[in-house]
Amino acid sequence: MEILDLSSNRLRELPEGLFAGLSNLMHLFLSHNLLGELPPGLFAGLSRLEDLTLGSNRLEDLPSGLFDGLSSLEHLLLYSNHMERIPAGLLAGLVRLNNLVIGGNDVTTLPDGLFSELNVLTHLEILLKPTANLPDSVFAGLTSLETLIVNRFGSEPLPFAVTLEITGDGQFKAVAPTGAPFALELSLAVSSGGEIAGGANSVTIPAGAIESAPISVTRVDVEADTATVDIAALPSLPEGHRGYILTIANPTANSDPGCSNRMTR
């Protein structure tokens, strides 16, 4: 058996071992049932499984090792459940996952490192409560992401902060604490008393990275007290990205030969 569709059957529970022996199963559909919980070893042995749909159930929690061994999984749909949290490590080992719809109308946050192994993930939808926030580095490692939808159920778009930070005397870097959901090319404005190394007028945080490479700024006007660099403009969200906005925090870096760089607010 390669395809099993048990969706829309009003199933309330599934016994552990139900899928034992189905080692060739590739597509499993369990959506639109009444499932409130799943046994930890329910999917054990399904190493060829590529599609798993668990949306539109009543799942309140998931065992942290539920998806262990599903190394071929490419599509995982968990939409429209009642989960208040997502266990840390739930997605560990899902190295081929490229489509993930996760969350429910009770999820308030996501654990650190939840997506850290998903470097081939291209499509991600996150459904959160209106009061929810995302932890730092949550998008770190998502180097292949093409679509990101962050839904807080009718609330204002979720802000993702971008800032300039001092790294040393005459150097700064751009930082996106959550991780860059796409390559963030930030236009820079430098005061007339300063110059950025190489004549650069932008800095880029690569997709899936937390920060850019360091950039040097020097004071070329000896009469100027400082040379100031600001983020002049933020990029627009690419097609397929919605539900969040980019914002600037701590946006100014100063350089003065003879003293350490400093941030101004």
mmCIF file of all heavy atoms in Angstrom, residues 192-194 219-227 256-257:
data_model
loop_
_atom_site.group_PDB
_atom_site.id
_atom_site.type_symbol
_atom_site.label_atom_id
_atom_site.label_comp_id
_atom_site.label_asym_id
_atom_site.label_seq_id
_atom_site.Cartn_x
_atom_site.Cartn_y
_atom_site.Cartn_z
ATOM 1 N N SER A 192 27.763 62.977 5.302
ATOM 2 C CA SER A 192 28.778 63.550 4.422
ATOM 3 C C SER A 192 30.181 63.443 5.002
ATOM 4 O O SER A 192 31.174 63.535 4.279
ATOM 5 C CB SER A 192 28.448 65.021 4.128
ATOM 6 O OG SER A 192 28.385 65.770 5.333
ATOM 7 N N GLY A 193 30.270 63.218 6.313
ATOM 8 C CA GLY A 193 31.582 63.107 6.932
ATOM 9 C C GLY A 193 32.152 61.708 6.918
ATOM 10 O O GLY A 193 33.248 61.487 7.444
ATOM 11 N N GLY A 194 31.441 60.757 6.323
ATOM 12 C CA GLY A 194 31.910 59.378 6.373
ATOM 13 C C GLY A 194 31.871 58.680 5.036
ATOM 14 O O GLY A 194 31.331 59.192 4.054
ATOM 15 N N ARG A 219 35.750 58.040 8.845
ATOM 16 C CA ARG A 219 35.455 59.468 8.819
ATOM 17 C C ARG A 219 36.408 60.122 7.820
ATOM 18 O O ARG A 219 37.627 60.075 7.989
ATOM 19 C CB ARG A 219 35.613 60.067 10.205
ATOM 20 C CG ARG A 219 35.069 61.486 10.320
ATOM 21 C CD ARG A 219 35.255 62.015 11.720
ATOM 22 N NE ARG A 219 36.668 62.166 12.053
ATOM 23 C CZ ARG A 219 37.106 62.574 13.234
ATOM 24 N NH1 ARG A 219 36.252 62.836 14.200
ATOM 25 N NH2 ARG A 219 38.402 62.696 13.465
ATOM 26 N N VAL A 220 35.868 60.711 6.768
ATOM 27 C CA VAL A 220 36.696 61.344 5.740
ATOM 28 C C VAL A 220 36.750 62.859 5.909
ATOM 29 O O VAL A 220 37.601 63.519 5.329
ATOM 30 C CB VAL A 220 36.177 60.992 4.329
ATOM 31 C CG1 VAL A 220 36.331 59.496 4.070
ATOM 32 C CG2 VAL A 220 34.718 61.415 4.149
ATOM 33 N N ASP A 221 35.828 63.403 6.689
ATOM 34 C CA ASP A 221 35.826 64.840 6.972
ATOM 35 C C ASP A 221 36.392 65.038 8.369
ATOM 36 O O ASP A 221 35.746 64.716 9.368
ATOM 37 C CB ASP A 221 34.399 65.389 6.873
ATOM 38 C CG ASP A 221 34.337 66.896 7.073
ATOM 39 O OD1 ASP A 221 35.371 67.484 7.446
ATOM 40 O OD2 ASP A 221 33.256 67.482 6.857
ATOM 41 N N VAL A 222 37.612 65.555 8.450
ATOM 42 C CA VAL A 222 38.273 65.678 9.747
ATOM 43 C C VAL A 222 37.564 66.667 10.657
ATOM 44 O O VAL A 222 37.762 66.652 11.875
ATOM 45 C CB VAL A 222 39.748 66.107 9.561
ATOM 46 C CG1 VAL A 222 40.526 65.024 8.843
ATOM 47 C CG2 VAL A 222 39.846 67.440 8.813
ATOM 48 N N GLU A 223 36.758 67.537 10.094
ATOM 49 C CA GLU A 223 36.044 68.510 10.916
ATOM 50 C C GLU A 223 34.748 67.931 11.485
ATOM 51 O O GLU A 223 34.138 68.537 12.364
ATOM 52 C CB GLU A 223 35.737 69.763 10.091
ATOM 53 C CG GLU A 223 37.001 70.509 9.647
ATOM 54 C CD GLU A 223 36.671 71.775 8.879
ATOM 55 O OE1 GLU A 223 35.458 72.027 8.665
ATOM 56 O OE2 GLU A 223 37.595 72.497 8.504
ATOM 57 N N ALA A 224 34.319 66.794 10.954
ATOM 58 C CA ALA A 224 33.087 66.171 11.447
ATOM 59 C C ALA A 224 33.383 65.397 12.729
ATOM 60 O O ALA A 224 34.422 64.736 12.853
ATOM 61 C CB ALA A 224 32.509 65.229 10.401
ATOM 62 N N ASP A 225 32.493 65.494 13.691
ATOM 63 C CA ASP A 225 32.673 64.783 14.956
ATOM 64 C C ASP A 225 32.523 63.268 14.768
ATOM 65 O O ASP A 225 33.237 62.481 15.368
ATOM 66 C CB ASP A 225 31.665 65.267 15.996
ATOM 67 C CG ASP A 225 31.946 66.692 16.432
ATOM 68 O OD1 ASP A 225 33.116 67.110 16.364
ATOM 69 O OD2 ASP A 225 30.984 67.383 16.824
ATOM 70 N N THR A 226 31.559 62.894 13.964
ATOM 71 C CA THR A 226 31.290 61.473 13.742
ATOM 72 C C THR A 226 30.879 61.256 12.298
ATOM 73 O O THR A 226 30.514 62.193 11.588
ATOM 74 C CB THR A 226 30.154 60.971 14.650
ATOM 75 O OG1 THR A 226 28.956 61.712 14.362
ATOM 76 C CG2 THR A 226 30.515 61.089 16.114
ATOM 77 N N ALA A 227 30.933 60.011 11.893
ATOM 78 C CA ALA A 227 30.359 59.587 10.613
ATOM 79 C C ALA A 227 29.179 58.675 10.934
ATOM 80 O O ALA A 227 29.332 57.693 11.658
ATOM 81 C CB ALA A 227 31.388 58.851 9.771
ATOM 82 N N ASP A 256 34.066 56.951 14.665
ATOM 83 C CA ASP A 256 34.979 58.072 14.904
ATOM 84 C C ASP A 256 36.361 57.496 15.159
ATOM 85 O O ASP A 256 36.572 56.828 16.159
ATOM 86 C CB ASP A 256 34.507 58.884 16.126
ATOM 87 C CG ASP A 256 35.386 60.108 16.362
ATOM 88 O OD1 ASP A 256 36.390 60.264 15.631
ATOM 89 O OD2 ASP A 256 35.074 60.879 17.276
ATOM 90 N N PRO A 257 37.309 57.685 14.203
ATOM 91 C CA PRO A 257 38.656 57.189 14.459
ATOM 92 C C PRO A 257 39.175 57.740 15.779
ATOM 93 O O PRO A 257 39.077 58.925 16.055
ATOM 94 C CB PRO A 257 39.453 57.723 13.266
ATOM 95 C CG PRO A 257 38.429 57.930 12.183
ATOM 96 C CD PRO A 257 37.190 58.344 12.899
#
